Amino acid sequence: MADLTGAKWRKSTRSGGNGGECVEVADNLPGVVAVRDSKDPHGVALTFSPTAWANFVRGTRTSR
């Protein structure tokens, strides 16, 4: 499990603007990108390697 101490969370630009269904991303830690539900900041966070995260983001952009 990755140590997320010091993570700087930001809301995804793709999160809904209605105050719900927000995803937060922390990409300031070396070797890991973390993703969590903003409504449950103390809950589980998914972690990805920077390469896996970049591939995911690239895939979502090209699938529109």
Side-chain angles (χ1 to χ4, degrees), residues 22 24 30 32 35 39-41 44 49 51-53 56 59:
C22 294
E24 292 181 320
V32 66
V35 181
K39 295 182 301 297
D40 188 13
V44 175
S49 71
T51 300
W53 182 251
F56 170 76

Side-chain angles (χ1 to χ4, degrees), residues 16-63:
N18 62 359
E21 300 180 9
C22 294
V23 173
E24 292 181 320
V25 178
D27 56 4
N28 66 302
L29 301 171
V32 66
V33 176
V35 181
R36 72 179 182 187
D37 181 346
S38 66
K39 295 182 301 297
D40 188 13
H42 300 291
V44 175
L46 301 175
T47 57
F48 303 90
S49 71
T51 300
W53 182 251
N55 288 337
F56 170 76
V57 170
R58 188 174 22 263
T60 59
R61 287 183 179 156
T62 59
S63 66

Side-chain angles (χ1 to χ4, degrees), residues 2-24:
D3 179 10
L4 301 181
T5 303
K8 293 182 182 175
W9 296 96
R10 61 179 173 78
K11 285 193 179 175
S12 167
T13 58
R14 295 290 183 196
S15 290
N18 62 359
E21 300 180 9
C22 294
V23 173
E24 292 181 320

